[in-house]
Amino acid sequence: EWDELARRFPNELSHTQSRALLLERMRDKVRALSAWRTLAARATRDASLLAQAADAFMRLSAPADAITVLRRLAALDPRDPEPLRKLGDAFFRQGKPREAEAEWRRATALFRDRADGLAERRKQGGGMTIALLFLGLLLLLFTGLPIFAGLALFGGALLFVTQGELGSVTEVIF
């Protein structure tokens, strides 16, 4: 039935994905690998499906297939460090420590760039967060209506969350 669905709906990759997952759960490694390879071949620009296929290849001890898919995935978004980190893992599993180290270094550099960018965004957005919190307190003092203060405090908390500082939200609210 799965093959018939794939023939009838060649652009619908969820059938192939479901089949691959089912075969993997049934411990039918040969057919599961075949299904994941089919999915990877058809999911040319779908980063989520390619990432799932790469993970499946690693679970099924097929690092060479994972490397092929991870290279495609890295090409889709050259700023994403995750495919490079996983490439390093795949090379390491293949017994290629030099290649693994090179990919891990590239991934580390991208992680570092991301962290620097996040720190810069925090610096730029911090003033707005403080302003919203201060506005909430002023509104509470001058109007006596907690709804205005709550909205401003919620806005400040939302900025904390979008800037990746979830712990700071609890400090402000509690």
Side-chain angles (χ1 to χ4, degrees):
E1 293 179 24
W2 293 102
D3 294 332
E4 177 60 27
L5 284 172
R7 275 192 290 279
R8 289 182 59 199
F9 306 101
N11 295 328
E12 183 57 51
L13 298 177
S14 64
H15 302 301
T16 306
Q17 178 190 24
S18 297
R19 179 174 188 246
L21 288 168
L22 179 65
L23 290 167
E24 196 175 336
R25 286 189 187 112
M26 292 171 48
R27 302 189 192 287
D28 188 344
K29 181 179 176 178
V30 173
R31 290 175 48 200
L33 280 171
S34 176
W36 283 114
R37 286 177 183 131
T38 300
L39 180 74
R42 291 183 180 166
T44 56
R45 309 251 342 129
D46 190 324
S48 175
L49 288 176
L50 288 173
Q52 289 177 45
D55 290 343
F57 290 137
M58 291 297 283
R59 283 192 308 272
L60 295 168
S61 300
D65 289 311
I67 288 169
T68 301
V69 172
L70 288 166
R71 284 185 172 150
R72 289 175 42 206
L73 193 55
L76 286 177
D77 185 1
R79 296 170 295 149
D80 185 3
E82 195 59 25
L84 299 177
R85 184 193 62 78
K86 290 180 179 184
L87 260 173
D89 295 347
F91 278 123
F92 190 78
R93 294 242 331 246
Q94 272 193 324
K96 298 179 178 178
R98 286 191 181 119
E99 290 88 342
E101 182 182 1
E103 296 304 331
W104 288 331
R105 286 184 186 278
R106 288 177 55 204
T108 301
L110 288 176
F111 276 122
R112 194 174 300 123
D113 290 346
R114 267 193 179 178
D116 291 344
L118 180 59
E120 184 60 32
R121 283 200 317 273
R122 283 184 185 156
K123 285 181 194 173
Q124 294 170 355
M128 179 61 90
T129 303
I130 292 169
L132 279 173
L133 295 175
F134 185 69
L135 176 65
L137 292 174
L138 284 177
L139 287 170
L140 179 61
L141 285 173
F142 288 112
T143 65
L145 298 173
I147 187 75
F148 291 124
L151 288 173
L153 287 171
F154 175 75
L158 188 61
L159 277 175
F160 275 128
V161 170
T162 58
Q163 293 174 15
E165 296 181 14
L166 188 57
S168 299
V169 174
T170 56
E171 291 171 15
V172 170
I173 293 175
F174 302 107

